[in-house]
Amino acid sequence: MRTRREFITGLGKMTGAAALGYIALPLLESCLPTSVPLVPAATSIPIGPDGTITVDVSTLTLANPSLVVANFTADDGFGVIITLTSDGMYHALSMRCTHASCVVDRALTNGEIHCNCHGSLFHLDGTVDTGPATVDLTSYPVTPPDAGSHIAHIKVR
C-alpha cells in the first residue's frame, strides 16, 4: 500500500510532466514546416526539345497577377508560379521557398508571395521582401506572349 506522501509525490510528478508537455508540444510543432513538399505529381505539360513549356497567361492582370502552372512540376520537385508585375513583365518562379524548402502559398498575401512555414515574403519578381529567407526564389526565363497571343514560353531546362 502506498503512503500519502508517495501518492502526493507521484501526483506532483504527473502534473509536472503534463504541464511540461503542454508547453513543449507547441514549441516543437512550431519548428515543423506547415507545407511539406509532396512527391512530385506526374507532369502532363510536355516540355519541348528546347526545354520550354507553353502556358496560357490570358488570366493574368494587374488585379490578378499570379497563376500557378497546372499539372507541372519542375526539376526541383516543386510547381511553378507565373506573375505579372506592374511594369508589364512576366516572371516564372519556383514554388520552393529558399529558406527551408517549403512550398510557397498558391494565393498571394497582400500582393506578395508568402511562405507559410516561417513567414518569408517575396515580391512578384521573386526577390525577397521579408525573411527569414535571404535568397530570391528560383526564376525561369520567360518569353512573353506575342501581340495578339496569350501564350508565354517558359524555359524550365
Side-chain angles (χ1 to χ4, degrees), residues 28-112:
L28 291 173
E29 286 178 340
S30 71
C31 296
L32 296 174
T34 56
S35 56
V36 177
L38 303 174
V39 176
T43 296
S44 62
I45 296 179
I47 299 174
D50 59 351
T52 63
I53 60 171
T54 56
V55 178
D56 182 348
V57 293
S58 61
T59 60
L60 289 178
T61 63
L62 293 180
N64 180 31
S66 70
L67 165 73
V68 174
V69 179
N71 302 316
F72 183 76
T73 304
D75 289 342
D76 65 359
F78 291 79
V80 174
I81 187 169
I82 302 172
T83 61
L84 175 64
T85 52
S86 60
D87 60 0
M89 299 293 295
Y90 291 91
H91 301 271
L93 308 164
S94 172
M95 292 183 70
R96 177 187 165 273
C97 179
T98 56
H99 171 246
S101 296
C102 295
V103 178
V104 297
D105 298 345
R106 300 173 68 83
L108 299 181
T109 301
N110 296 324
E112 294 190 303

Side-chain angles (χ1 to χ4, degrees), residues 99-152:
H99 171 246
S101 296
C102 295
V103 178
V104 297
D105 298 345
R106 300 173 68 83
L108 299 181
T109 301
N110 296 324
E112 294 190 303
I113 301 167
H114 176 252
C115 180
N116 200 37
C117 283
H118 301 102
S120 292
L121 287 171
F122 300 88
H123 295 290
L124 292 180
D125 64 359
T127 56
V128 175
D129 177 24
T130 306
T134 58
V135 177
D136 299 341
L137 294 175
T138 301
S139 64
Y140 302 101
V142 177
T143 303
D146 293 328
S149 172
H150 297 290
I151 303 299

